[in-house]
Amino acid sequence: MGTHHRKKIFPLWGGALGLSGALLLAPPALAQDRDATLEALRTQMEAMQRQIERLESEQQRATAEARERERVPDNVVTGGDTPGSFMIPGTNTSFQIGGYAKFDAIYDLDQDLGDSLFADGIDATDDDSDTSFRAHARQSRLYIKSSTPTLLGDATTHIEGDFFGVGGNEVFTNARSFRLRHAYGEVAGLLAGQTWTNFMHFAAYPTTVDFDGPVGVSFIRQAQLRYTLPAGPGDLSVALENPEGTGFAGSRDTAPDAAARYHWDGEGAAVETAAVVRRLKTDDAAASGDDSTIGYGVLLAGNIDVTDSTRLMAGAIYGDGIGRYLYTANGVDDGSDSIGAAFIDGDGELETIEAYGFNAAVAQQWTPKFSSGLSYGQVRGDRPRDLFPDSTRKLESIHFSHFYQLTDPVTLMFEVSHARKEIKSRDEEGNTRLQFAAQYNF
């Protein structure tokens, strides 16, 4: 602004000097008039100089005020570097808080399976049909994420929990225990903490209203140390994970499970494959021979968009001693039911149990707000019938799910599902479930 005013004033100075020179050369009779004119010019120029100085001062003050307004105080919360996040005052860490509140209303037509359609919980020897109703909000979830820039890239954390923990009651307060789902940090491809196992096929995991979802998939969250790196067109990750041996008597963990996974994402398609190796050991007195063995598992899964609104997905898992990695083949500690990972044979040796599972699903987006899904899953195991006649031979599940987005944060859901269980004695029963849910995201 000051420069602008000077450009206007320079011609005035030039004109004044020229006029002063002419007056100096005027005859003596004009001296009095000359002096008066020079005094008037001097007064005018001094007034203009004061005006210029005032304008420059105002401009400097306005610039300082603008800079002060732009400066963010140290105690003010601002937007973070990731969508939906905020910056902690005085730091460069971005935080995001989210989750949802979910209401579930459940009506079982045959057997009361509780808050989720747990297929292995069916009593295969009970052929009575006993209806039951139940409502809960246990799936409600809360998470906190953070991201901090470092020389190695962004250091991120994720802590998440829900209310599917043990304990609580439905008599007075309907209290339920909060439980840990995820708690991990990650930087430069190195992850440490609890999250989904590295032996899991996300590419073929369908969305269901039921909390458990289909059988025949891998479904585990556990503590681990994982490293992920680019490999060709995809990513390769290797991990050492919490072993947690179950499904046979006297199980004891002596070494971490090792899992490797390769994942590729393309345009409208994804493929992943994984493998896990584990050491199984027992301290049971019946194991008079070899009391340890090696178990393993492999999987292959993928999905493809056949149209802009239709996606197909499928996955398969096979293992020998895979146990709990195949949902729901874990078995209890004494190895008397389910499929399990191993058993002690007649010679006192710990033997692994073969098991496999598969699932297939289709997801259809009918409109921008309404979608449906149909999924089927199956799991089988070869636990010896003569030793475990009441153990699980086969599990099946089917889910027909519907989702309507009432508004951006609110989704209404309805599902018809059926689960079936067959034990080694060939007894089998099933349960059909109707489920309504409302989910409010934040």
Side-chain angles (χ1 to χ4, degrees):
M1 182 181 293
T3 303
H4 176 71
H5 280 278
R6 288 193 183 96
K7 289 181 179 179
K8 291 184 177 181
I9 293 169
F10 288 155
L12 296 176
W13 279 99
L17 292 174
L19 179 57
S20 299
L23 291 173
L24 290 173
L25 297 176
L30 299 178
Q32 187 176 359
D33 293 339
R34 178 194 63 193
D35 292 341
T37 303
L38 287 174
E39 183 63 27
L41 286 173
R42 186 180 297 109
T43 301
Q44 182 180 6
M45 286 187 290
E46 289 176 353
M48 296 178 67
Q49 182 64 35
R50 288 193 297 271
Q51 183 179 8
I52 292 172
E53 291 174 353
R54 180 178 61 81
L55 291 172
E56 288 180 339
S57 177
E58 290 178 354
Q59 182 185 24
Q60 292 173 359
R61 185 170 61 253
T63 301
E65 291 175 353
R67 289 174 178 172
E68 183 64 22
R69 287 193 300 269
E70 292 175 357
R71 189 180 71 84
V72 178
D74 292 338
N75 62 346
V76 173
V77 176
T78 60
D81 294 333
T82 57
S85 67
F86 59 91
M87 194 81 73
I88 295 297
T91 75
N92 60 350
T93 298
S94 300
F95 272 82
Q96 182 180 0
I97 300 175
Y100 58 78
K102 186 186 179 190
F103 167 79
D104 283 291
I106 297 168
Y107 188 73
D108 283 327
L109 275 64
D110 303 292
Q111 295 187 20
D112 185 0
L113 294 184
D115 294 339
S116 62
L117 190 70
F118 185 63
D120 209 23
I122 295 175
D123 185 350
T125 63
D126 183 5
D127 58 0
D128 294 332
S129 294
D130 298 318
T131 60
S132 61
F133 174 80
R134 172 155 184 75
H136 68 86
R138 296 180 65 189
Q139 192 177 327
S140 299
R141 188 173 302 174
L142 176 67
Y143 68 78
I144 301 175
K145 299 179 181 181
S146 75
S147 177
T148 306
T150 73
L151 295 177
L152 298 177
D154 289 343
T156 62
T157 64
H158 184 161
I159 299 177
E160 179 182 312
D162 63 19
F163 296 88
F164 257 93
V166 298
N169 65 77
E170 302 295 325
V171 181
F172 297 108
T173 63
N174 289 271
R176 286 296 176 179
S177 301
F178 189 76
R179 67 167 184 173
L180 185 69
R181 287 172 54 87
H182 301 276
Y184 65 88
E186 187 173 11
V187 64
L190 180 63
L191 179 150
Q194 175 172 304
T195 188
W196 300 113
T197 174
N198 203 33
F199 185 77
M200 188 161 174
H201 60 303
F202 298 101
Y205 203 93
T207 300
T208 62
V209 181
D210 171 48
F211 182 68
D212 281 350
V215 301
V217 299
S218 180
F219 185 88
I220 292 179
R221 291 182 298 268
Q222 60 191 10
Q224 61 193 271
L225 185 66
R226 182 195 301 179
Y227 182 67
T228 303
L229 69 160
D235 294 320
L236 174 65
S237 54
V238 293
L240 297 177
E241 307 188 8
N242 178 50
E244 199 66 33
T246 62
F248 56 98
S251 61
R252 180 159 65 91
D253 302 323
T254 60
D257 293 350
R261 176 172 172 265
Y262 184 80
H263 177 85
W264 171 83
D265 263 323
E267 185 175 352
V271 175
E272 55 194 349
T273 184
V276 62
V277 178
R278 54 202 309 241
R279 184 172 189 262
L280 306 176
K281 182 176 177 59
T282 180
D283 287 334
D284 192 89
S288 57
D290 193 350
D291 62 355
S292 65
T293 186
I294 298 297
Y296 69 90
V298 292
L299 69 80
L300 178 65
N303 64 60
I304 185 170
D305 293 335
V306 293
T307 70
D308 292 340
S309 58
T310 306
R311 170 171 290 187
L312 300 179
M313 59 192 79
I317 301 176
Y318 171 81
D320 192 5
I322 189 174
R324 66 191 180 91
Y325 282 94
L326 180 54
Y327 185 73
T328 56
N330 52 294
V332 295
D333 290 341
D334 63 6
S336 62
D337 71 348
S338 194
I339 293 173
F343 68 97
I344 301 172
D345 66 11
D347 296 327
E349 295 186 355
L350 188 64
E351 294 287 343
T352 55
I353 298 173
E354 280 188 311
Y356 68 87
F358 66 91
N359 74 295
V362 55
Q364 177 66 43
Q365 190 74 40
W366 303 105
T367 71
K369 288 182 173 292
F370 180 61
S371 63
S372 299
L374 179 62
S375 62
Y376 172 80
Q378 184 181 132
V379 60
R380 288 176 179 255
D382 72 345
R383 185 190 289 267
R385 178 180 178 180
D386 55 340
L387 297 178
F388 308 97
D390 296 329
S391 66
T392 301
R393 177 179 178 269
K394 181 175 70 172
L395 299 172
E396 294 178 282
S397 69
I398 186 168
H399 295 76
F400 189 30
S401 317
H402 308 279
F403 308 89
Y404 178 73
Q405 188 177 25
L406 185 64
T407 185
D408 285 343
V410 181
T411 303
L412 304 179
M413 315 173 196
F414 179 74
E415 181 175 85
V416 180
S417 57
H418 182 80
R420 195 158 196 85
K421 176 181 179 179
E422 179 185 337
I423 60 177
K424 285 296 181 177
S425 65
R426 294 300 193 268
D427 288 331
E428 60 177 315
E429 289 297 334
N431 178 67
T432 299
R433 166 171 290 192
L434 308 178
Q435 185 168 351
F436 167 81
Q439 181 170 310
Y440 298 76
N441 297 314
F442 61 89

